[in-house]
Amino acid sequence: MQDKIWLSSPHLSGKELFYIEDAFEKNWVTSIGENIDGFEQDLKKCLGNNEEIVALNSATSAIHLALVMLKVTRDDEVFTSTFSFVASANPIAYCGANPIFIDSEKETWNMCPVALEEAIQDRISKGKKTKAIIVVHLYGMPAKMDEINEIAAKYEIPVIEDAAEALGSTYKNQACGTFGRFGILSFNGNKIITTSGGGALVCHTKEDKEKAVFLSTQARDNAPHYQHSHIGYNYRMSNITAGIGRGQMEVLQSRVEARRKMHEFYVELFSEINGVEVFSEPGSDYYSNHWLSAVTIDPTITGKNREDLRLAFLEDNIESRPLWKPMHLQPVFADAPYYGGKVAEELFDNGLCLPSGSNLSDNDRERIANVIKNFFN
Ligand SMILES: *Cc1c(COP(=O)(O)O)cnc(C)c1O
């Protein structure tokens, strides 16, 4: 059996160890220290130098914290993209609130502004008030932020941007993660850079950052003893983990370039094959980090489906994966309201994520190309 080719695996630079050793030497083996400050500074610079970053132990925690800061509580309603990873929706349930799922549009595969506005008006007509909108930038592709922010402003609903997959992506030259009231980043092992596990909350003000640090470190009041007036969380990133992040930030640009090259590789490969489309930016306003490259297969043209292609890859020990199964089809959210049509459902039926790592070799690409050529011949 040949070596496994992964969909997206950690790609370390070697520089991470320098920062980890430094933390060991200074004995900052805890959730404060230079690596946390340094990692937050690196992220701030990367996002355009206007935001305040709070490093946390996961993006899931970051979404939860954003909802807590927006005072989302029991029986509130929160909109989110149906076409996403479950972590975009779970934190809504942590608050005792109810997720309302919104379909995608066909260009970016992200939240459809038309379905969003329909949903808002329908909820208003039912006497409900929506507390927040969680917009996802899927596979690194920026959502239609102008349209979504305009609707959100019209109805005065704060936006949380789930940019877990979109570090390094921009919309109209502005970094994803900076458009909403809060932004969220992930450094899970399969993301464009990793800290082994970790996330960040992007805030616009120092006050919000201070509040998020306070809440993520058990909400301890200013007193010599342990004194608490709020419910807190243990969500802060460790100084060791942040050291990995600092090493990864040194190579983020080259990781983005490598992922974008993988996307170009697929565009070229599939240009000869009718009925397969490679997921690409709809225009020059959009700059995707192409965290994952993905295709949709039209079975009526190709006579093949995405599951057959997945199995063909598997036979050669190559990992690929169907696109996200929409949240409104998940058993756990069976009762949640859903607004939209069949865009996300059709993407799930016909789409496949392909190996996209920044660490793939020419030999890996050759194996991938051979499977694809044989499959469609
Ligand atoms: C990975 C991911 C998350 C969760 O990130 P963690 O850091 O693993 O908690 C949330 N939303 C999306 C869209 C993701 O892809």
Side-chain angles (χ1 to χ4, degrees):
M1 189 61 113
Q2 304 222 58
D3 285 348
K4 178 151 182 166
I5 298 177
W6 298 92
L7 195 68
S8 177
S9 66
H11 186 184
L12 297 173
S13 67
K15 299 175 185 184
E16 298 83 5
L17 281 173
F18 166 80
Y19 294 104
I20 294 174
E21 276 171 13
D22 186 61
F24 271 60
E25 263 162 38
K26 293 174 179 158
N27 204 28
W28 286 111
V29 185
T30 177
S31 61
I32 47 172
E34 284 173 19
N35 283 340
I36 301 213
D37 299 340
F39 186 41
E40 288 175 346
Q41 279 306 314
D42 292 345
L43 288 166
K44 177 174 174 149
K45 260 187 227 146
C46 172
L47 295 184
N49 237 350
N50 291 315
E51 318 301 322
E52 300 294 330
I53 314 295
V54 183
L56 298 170
N57 60 9
S58 76
T60 310
S61 311
I63 297 172
H64 186 202
L65 207 57
L67 292 170
V68 169
M69 299 211 9
L70 292 174
K71 300 197 162 45
V72 173
T73 57
R74 186 157 298 282
D75 298 330
D76 282 341
E77 296 192 337
V78 176
F79 292 126
T80 189
S81 311
T82 193
F83 193 53
S84 185
F85 181 48
V86 70
S88 308
N90 275 338
I92 301 170
Y94 303 166
C95 298
N98 300 318
I100 312 265
F101 294 113
I102 311 291
D103 201 4
S104 304
E105 33 80 9
K106 286 184 176 166
E107 286 190 338
T108 74
W109 297 2
N110 293 308
M111 185 179 280
C112 173
V114 178
L116 172 66
E117 187 154 23
E118 271 170 25
I120 294 173
Q121 290 177 349
D122 188 62
R123 299 321 286 175
I124 291 172
S125 78
K126 291 185 161 68
K128 310 274 190 185
K129 169 89 174 99
T130 304
K131 272 303 218 9
I133 302 169
I134 302 176
V135 180
V136 189
H137 305 294
L138 225 48
Y139 306 123
M141 184 67 70
K144 299 196 175 223
M145 283 319 297
D146 275 358
E147 287 89 334
I148 288 168
N149 269 344
E150 197 179 309
I151 294 166
K154 183 167 152 194
Y155 296 94
E156 300 182 334
I157 306 171
V159 169
I160 299 170
E161 248 183 298
D162 180 348
E165 303 176 0
L167 180 61
S169 298
T170 61
Y171 174 71
K172 298 190 172 172
N173 292 319
Q174 186 182 331
C176 286
T178 66
F179 290 89
R181 174 76 166 76
F182 293 105
I184 266 95
L185 302 169
S186 174
F187 315 108
N188 194 2
N190 64 0
K191 296 285 155 56
I192 194 147
I193 60 162
T194 184
T195 59
S196 72
L201 182 70
V202 181
C203 306
H204 291 307
T205 64
K206 286 212 164 64
E207 294 74 53
D208 273 352
K209 172 170 179 165
E210 271 167 30
K211 196 170 163 202
V213 170
F214 168 76
L215 289 171
S216 66
T217 52
Q218 308 286 20
R220 194 176 163 192
D221 294 345
N222 193 7
H225 55 275
Y226 281 94
Q227 172 88 14
H228 302 275
S229 324
H230 295 270
I231 297 295
Y233 304 87
N234 185 6
Y235 280 174
R236 196 76 162 121
M237 182 177 274
S238 104
N239 194 50
I240 302 297
T241 306
I244 305 176
R246 285 178 93 181
Q248 288 273 278
M249 284 304 284
E250 292 190 23
V251 294
L252 173 64
Q253 270 330 305
S254 72
R255 299 298 186 255
V256 172
E257 280 160 29
R259 299 252 177 183
R260 286 178 57 86
K261 280 220 177 89
M262 281 308 295
H263 169 258
E264 277 168 35
F265 161 77
Y266 288 116
V267 168
E268 201 164 301
L269 195 60
F270 283 105
S271 65
E272 319 260 287
I273 300 170
N274 268 339
V276 180
E277 274 196 53
V278 180
F279 182 39
S280 300
E281 287 99 329
S284 58
D285 287 344
Y286 301 83
Y287 181 88
S288 170
N289 66 14
H290 287 294
W291 169 59
L292 292 187
S293 288
V295 290
T296 48
I297 301 171
D298 185 336
T300 62
I301 298 175
T302 60
K304 317 253 182 185
N305 65 41
R306 59 108 162 126
E307 182 58 11
D308 294 334
L309 178 56
R310 192 184 72 79
L311 294 173
F313 274 129
L314 205 58
E315 240 166 68
D316 199 38
N317 208 18
I318 299 172
E319 184 183 32
S320 64
R321 193 175 296 153
L323 303 184
W324 301 119
K325 179 170 179 173
M327 286 303 118
H328 71 276
L329 300 181
Q330 299 286 354
V332 67
F333 295 123
D335 297 333
Y338 168 67
Y339 292 88
K342 300 255 174 231
V343 177
E345 289 179 29
E346 279 170 15
L347 288 168
F348 173 60
D349 286 342
N350 297 322
L352 197 69
C353 293
L354 306 176
S356 306
S358 48
N359 49 4
L360 297 182
S361 66
D362 286 340
N363 184 49
D364 293 336
R365 273 181 285 275
E366 204 177 306
R367 279 174 58 195
I368 292 165
N370 282 336
V371 170
I372 291 170
K373 284 177 187 154
N374 289 334
F375 180 79
F376 286 102
N377 264 340

